[in-house]
Amino acid sequence: MTGRHAAEGARRVQTRPPRVRVSVLGPVRLAVNGTPVHLTPLTARLLVRLVAAEGETVTARRLYRDVWQQTVELPHQDLRNRNEVQKRILELRRAFDRAGPGHGTRIVRTGQLPTARGAESTYRLDLSDEELDSAEFTRLVGDALHAAPASAVRLLTDALGLWRGRPLAEAQDEEFADATVRRLNRLRETALRELVAGHTALGRYDLALPVAEETVRERPDDPEAAATLARLNARLRERHGDELLRHTLRGLRVDVVVLRGDLFDQEDANLVVGFSDTFDTFTDDVVISRESVQGQLVDRLFEGRHRLLDAALRRGLKDVTPLATESVREKRRGRRTRYPVGTAVAVPVGKRRVFALAYSRLGNDLRARSAPADLRLSLEGLWPTVARYGLFKPVATPLIGAGLSRLVELDRTQLLLLIVETFIRSLGQDPAICPELRVVIRADELERTDLSAVEDFLRRVDERGPALPPTGIG
């Protein structure tokens, strides 16, 4: 609008809501001091007509023609028509005056236009950006076009939040509103496009995607919008890679992730590796299988030198009281000192930790055995150890119990649920265990794992919080 440039800076930093707020990005609304004001249909159309003029003056004759939709000018009707316009102008001013004396005449300005038939009354609106949503929308989008990505995203999000529907809805397809409606619609298209670009520049493809989808729904024949959506979907697929499930726990900012892959490829995360109660490490395919997770731990992180892992485990176990020590006669191979099931040892490996978790018992026949209660006990003891020694890094774990521990009572889905459930319950005691739990599943295990059951469990956690009752597993 005009006549306010000197005060523009002050209004931009205004913190208190304006006393008057006219909203036309959707059905017209007027609020004064935060309270909705009812306008009669003709007065609402009059307000929309003045907004469509975008600060320019409109004669009383033109107002009557557009608002009352006059199609034929009858002789000797000018005075009556002017009176009708003046009554609606008075109603509008009285509505604005609820904000304080003088607001009506300050906002609805009266002028005179000399004509061959004499002076004719004119009217125009003088509203600040904060008082008129379409003006604020225009300013926010304009500012965003010259802003850095993070600032642009904030400005565009604020701008699009003002949009409630078709602008100047009461004008429908009236000619006087066409130019303003087209401008606002084009500006909204620009805002949507730039918001996608801003989120993309910040690497937030997940936030860009719903905006791009909305654009395609609104403009299904726009090849540029369709191409943008296709690129976003491709980038999201690339980013997720083998990620099968990701759920951010409500109110905790902790992610639960399930992915298909190799535990030892998770180089940014601490690892959990299951052991028996004797913490054996010798991969002779008798005591420990080379194909087991423990065997891969020795080969891939300790260069096949099991004695290095033995030494690290001994240091971690020095403060743990053993349960018993077997004789050579009773246990001819492997380590003979037994520790409590549930013992967790943090083994430093470079800048991360491997958490060695005893969740099974190795019999003297060299067969490992575990039970659901053993696994639950072990997991419940694991998470506090991760919180204490894990350096607040993501933690990656295999599907513990699915291998040679012979834990036949639970299927793959139940094992996964038990891992997730115990982790979430521990968050109720310490919400800073780690920023991400990552369960890594082998491809051959995936077909026997129902991830929809995990999704359903996580949704219930969001509804009820970390104090969710146990699943009944273990």
Side-chain angles (χ1 to χ4, degrees):
M1 303 298 167
T2 61
R4 64 179 188 276
H5 299 291
E8 186 67 28
R11 275 193 288 273
R12 289 193 181 190
V13 299
Q14 177 177 334
T15 56
R16 291 193 305 169
R19 291 187 175 185
V20 170
R21 180 69 168 179
V22 176
S23 303
V24 295
L25 298 178
V28 66
R29 292 178 180 174
L30 171 61
V32 177
N33 295 326
T35 302
V37 176
H38 173 72
L39 298 176
T40 60
L42 275 176
T43 304
R45 273 181 58 84
L46 177 71
L47 177 57
V48 168
R49 177 63 184 89
L50 290 171
V51 169
E54 300 196 275
E56 300 297 323
T57 60
V58 185
T59 64
R61 184 190 303 271
R62 186 59 188 242
L63 282 174
Y64 187 84
R65 183 187 308 161
D66 290 342
V67 174
W68 278 259
Q69 299 178 299
Q70 182 187 33
T71 56
V72 178
E73 289 193 21
L74 300 175
H76 314 299
Q77 292 293 311
D78 279 357
L79 179 59
R80 187 182 68 81
N81 294 350
R82 284 199 303 273
N83 288 339
E84 285 293 324
V85 172
Q86 288 169 356
K87 282 195 293 186
R88 303 301 169 183
I89 292 290
L90 180 60
E91 180 186 342
L92 196 55
R93 282 176 170 158
R94 285 174 174 168
F96 289 132
D97 277 338
R98 298 186 186 188
H103 274 69
T105 54
R106 191 269 296 174
I107 294 172
V108 185
R109 304 274 186 164
T110 301
Q112 295 290 315
L113 177 68
T115 69
R117 292 181 291 184
E120 183 174 356
S121 296
T122 61
Y123 302 95
R124 70 178 179 87
L125 282 185
D126 189 4
L127 291 167
S128 70
D129 291 355
E130 287 74 24
E131 292 173 329
L132 178 61
D133 66 344
S134 59
E136 183 182 8
F137 177 79
T138 300
R139 174 177 62 78
L140 288 170
V141 176
D143 289 349
L145 296 179
H146 306 288
S151 299
V153 163
R154 175 180 57 80
L155 292 166
L156 293 167
T157 301
D158 289 347
L160 291 166
L162 300 172
W163 198 276
R164 297 177 291 108
R166 185 187 188 279
L168 282 66
E170 285 70 16
Q172 297 185 6
D173 297 321
E174 299 285 356
E175 182 181 351
F176 67 78
D178 281 351
T180 302
V181 170
R182 283 199 304 272
R183 178 183 68 79
L184 291 169
N185 281 329
R186 284 198 299 268
L187 202 58
R188 181 169 180 270
E189 292 173 6
T190 298
L192 290 168
R193 184 174 62 251
E194 292 299 318
L195 184 56
V196 169
H199 283 315
T200 301
L202 296 172
R204 295 305 307 269
Y205 306 128
D206 54 329
L207 298 180
L209 183 64
V211 183
E213 289 173 336
E214 181 180 359
T215 303
V216 168
R217 283 195 300 270
E218 294 181 1
R219 305 203 306 276
D221 298 326
D222 184 342
E224 182 182 347
T228 298
L229 179 59
R231 285 194 298 271
L232 279 173
N233 279 317
R235 286 181 177 180
L236 280 169
R237 284 193 297 271
E238 179 182 343
R239 187 184 75 173
H240 289 310
D242 288 321
E243 193 173 288
L244 304 169
L245 180 152
R246 176 176 289 272
H247 184 97
T248 301
L249 296 170
R250 183 177 299 167
L252 292 173
R253 297 183 181 178
V254 176
D255 288 342
V256 174
V257 179
V258 179
L259 60 82
R260 173 182 50 233
D262 186 330
L263 177 71
F264 295 96
D265 286 342
Q266 314 307 310
E267 296 180 355
D268 63 324
N270 296 323
L271 306 182
V272 177
V273 177
F275 280 78
S276 69
D277 60 340
T278 56
F279 286 95
D280 278 288
T281 61
F282 184 40
T283 55
D284 59 354
D285 285 332
V286 177
V287 179
I288 300 296
S289 167
R290 289 185 175 86
E291 295 182 356
S292 68
V293 178
Q294 294 149 276
Q296 293 180 64
L297 171 64
V298 173
D299 287 344
R300 296 175 66 172
L301 296 189
F302 289 87
E303 301 175 347
R305 300 161 67 185
H306 73 93
R307 295 189 187 281
L308 291 177
L309 178 56
D310 277 340
L313 287 169
R314 279 196 298 271
R315 287 192 293 271
L317 289 166
K318 68 179 187 301
D319 295 325
V320 180
T321 302
L323 286 180
T325 301
E326 302 284 0
S327 67
V328 175
R329 180 178 179 180
E330 292 171 332
K331 189 173 186 288
R332 294 182 178 275
R333 306 184 70 159
R335 299 182 66 177
R336 297 180 176 89
T337 302
R338 297 189 180 278
Y339 293 89
V341 167
T343 300
V345 180
V347 177
V349 180
K351 295 183 179 180
R352 57 180 177 158
R353 303 287 183 269
V354 173
F355 292 95
L357 178 65
Y359 74 98
S360 66
R361 295 175 178 83
L362 185 65
N364 292 344
D365 59 358
L366 304 182
R367 297 176 68 188
R369 296 173 178 84
S370 188
D374 294 330
L375 181 56
R376 173 177 286 280
L377 174 69
S378 301
L379 290 169
E380 289 174 344
L382 168 67
W383 307 124
T385 306
V386 171
R388 183 174 182 182
Y389 298 107
L391 308 174
F392 201 63
K393 289 178 178 287
V395 61
T397 178
L399 204 55
I400 292 180
L404 296 176
S405 63
R406 298 170 177 82
L407 211 166
V408 297
E409 294 91 340
L410 302 180
D411 61 27
R412 267 54 174 181
T413 303
Q414 290 172 313
L415 291 172
L416 178 54
L417 281 169
L418 187 56
I419 293 168
V420 172
E421 182 217 326
T422 56
F423 174 73
I424 293 174
R425 286 172 61 79
S426 290
L427 289 173
Q429 302 298 318
D430 184 353
I433 293 174
C434 63
E436 178 179 301
L437 169 64
R438 193 180 301 167
V439 184
V440 184
I441 299 181
R442 299 196 315 265
D444 61 308
E445 295 172 331
L446 183 58
E447 64 182 17
R448 291 174 286 175
T449 307
D450 181 7
L451 294 185
S452 65
V454 182
E455 283 262 34
D456 181 64
F457 175 74
L458 291 169
R459 281 196 298 269
R460 288 190 287 130
V461 169
D462 281 342
E463 293 169 0
R464 301 177 60 176
L468 190 69
T471 56
I473 300 170

